[in-house]
């Protein structure tokens, strides 16, 4: 099954399951948490009945080769403390798409700080040699300095492949509209370590909507690209 089919089915299910409760929830959650990162998973699940969508168009270059793609990231609250994440880093080029269930076992009342555990299934939806599913689990955490900064971080572990994936985002509030951001992501396996950094700026254009531009570059010599320019749209509803 293609990622587009999976995405369509899940959006339909989530939209059908929560048409009323989503309207009843406080719609200031995105405002409370500044804005969403470019790529990193949010470390705590959304409240039941709420949903967020991130669309990130990017152009990447390695040597003289240039390519474009679109990343999709959906997050939704299912039950108190339980949420689902669906992500593809590139519909055309990413070998796998991710479906994750996240449970927060420790958090404050506002979900500004806390810890979660999660399980993830990586589904082959792109150019990949094997059609086998991949299973990962991990831990995520959020730390908020009120009116200054929000940090979300997570670590995925795949025991079968003996590898781990790391992501973190640091979002700073410069004004009610402007949010500078720094993200790190990378992979650790038995052969090599890769690490990338992303510098970006997000603009809140409504309480539940933001747009942003950023540039992602490798820090290590092991890399998939030289530079990646990103434009993103984030919506919560």
């Amino acid at each position: 099954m293609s990622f587009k089919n999976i995405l369509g089915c899940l959006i339909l299910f989530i939209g059908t399951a929560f048409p009323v409760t989503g309207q009843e929830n406080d719609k200031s959650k995105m405002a409370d948490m500044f804005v969403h990162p470019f790529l990193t998973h949010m470390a705590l699940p959304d409240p039941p009945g709420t949903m967020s969508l991130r669309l990130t168009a990017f152009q990447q270059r390695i040597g003289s080769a240039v390519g474009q793609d679109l990343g999709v990231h959906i997050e939704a609250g299912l039950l108190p403390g339980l949420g689902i994440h669906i992500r593809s880093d590139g519909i055309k080029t990413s070998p796998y798409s991710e479906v994750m269930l996240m449970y927060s076992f420790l958090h404050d009342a506002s979900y500004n700080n806390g810890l979660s555990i999660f399980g993830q299934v990586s589904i082959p939806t792109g150019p990949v040699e094997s059609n086998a599913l991949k299973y990962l689990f991990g831990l995520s955490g959020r730390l908020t300095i009120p009116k200054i900064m929000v940090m979300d971080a997570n670590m995925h572990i795949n025991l079968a492949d003996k590898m781990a994936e790391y992501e973190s985002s640091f979002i700073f509030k410069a004004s009610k509209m402007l949010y500078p951001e720094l993200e790190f992501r990378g992979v650790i396996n038995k052969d090599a370590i890769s690490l990338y950094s992303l510098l970006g700026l997000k603009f809140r254009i409504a309480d539940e909507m933001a747009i942003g531009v950023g540039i992602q570059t490798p820090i290590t010599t092991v890399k998939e690209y030289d530079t990646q320019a990103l434009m993103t749209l984030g919506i919560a509803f």
Side-chain angles (χ1 to χ4, degrees):
M1 181 181 290
S2 71
F3 176 75
K4 292 181 180 178
N5 292 335
I6 296 170
L7 184 60
C9 292
L10 287 168
I11 290 176
L12 180 62
F13 168 76
I14 294 167
T16 303
F18 304 114
V20 177
T21 55
Q23 297 174 5
E24 293 174 349
N25 273 275
D26 179 9
K27 290 214 157 191
S28 65
K29 291 300 179 183
M30 187 173 176
D32 290 345
M33 296 311 302
F34 292 13
V35 295
H36 285 183
F38 279 80
L39 304 173
T40 301
H41 284 297
M42 300 291 281
L44 299 179
D46 290 339
T50 62
M51 180 176 172
S52 64
L53 170 66
R54 287 180 260 171
L55 299 173
T56 304
F58 62 87
Q59 176 174 283
Q60 65 184 33
R61 178 186 299 273
I62 181 163
S64 59
V66 178
Q68 297 83 31
D69 208 341
L70 177 70
V72 180
H73 197 155
I74 297 170
E75 296 165 316
L78 302 178
L79 298 169
L82 180 67
I84 187 171
H85 295 231
I86 307 155
R87 181 174 72 176
S88 173
D89 286 335
I91 291 176
K92 295 189 301 181
T93 57
S94 181
Y96 293 91
S97 300
E98 306 167 359
V99 179
M100 172 198 292
L101 280 177
M102 175 181 287
Y103 174 71
S104 177
F105 63 91
L106 180 66
H107 57 263
D108 57 18
S110 62
Y111 278 73
N112 287 337
N113 303 278
L115 295 171
S116 299
I117 55 173
F118 57 83
Q120 174 182 306
V121 179
S122 294
I123 304 168
T125 55
V128 63
E129 296 179 359
S130 171
N131 288 324
L133 301 176
K134 291 190 175 185
Y135 303 95
L136 301 90
F137 65 92
L139 179 71
S140 61
R142 173 178 297 158
L143 174 65
T144 299
I145 302 175
K147 300 182 180 180
I148 297 175
M149 185 272 294
V150 175
M151 181 199 75
D152 284 281
N154 66 78
M155 176 74 79
H156 307 56
I157 297 174
N158 184 333
L159 295 178
D161 291 343
K162 298 180 180 179
M163 57 86 70
E165 300 177 3
Y166 166 78
E167 296 178 331
S168 63
S169 67
F170 301 82
I171 301 175
F172 301 89
K173 184 175 183 180
S175 69
K176 186 176 180 180
M177 180 180 180
L178 298 178
Y179 295 82
E181 182 177 340
L182 175 64
E183 289 192 38
F184 296 98
R185 60 190 338 215
V187 176
I188 304 169
N189 59 40
K190 59 183 179 180
D191 298 319
I193 297 175
S194 63
L195 181 63
Y196 298 85
S197 65
L198 188 157
L199 288 172
L201 182 63
K202 286 210 168 180
F203 304 85
R204 184 199 297 277
I205 57 178
D207 281 348
E208 306 297 337
M209 184 179 296
I211 57 175
V213 292
I215 185 78
Q216 187 165 225
T217 55
I219 296 175
T220 55
T221 55
V222 178
K223 58 186 178 181
E224 296 180 356
Y225 48 82
D226 295 323
T227 58
Q228 192 179 75
L230 307 97
M231 295 185 64
T232 188
L233 167 68
I235 305 172
F237 47 92

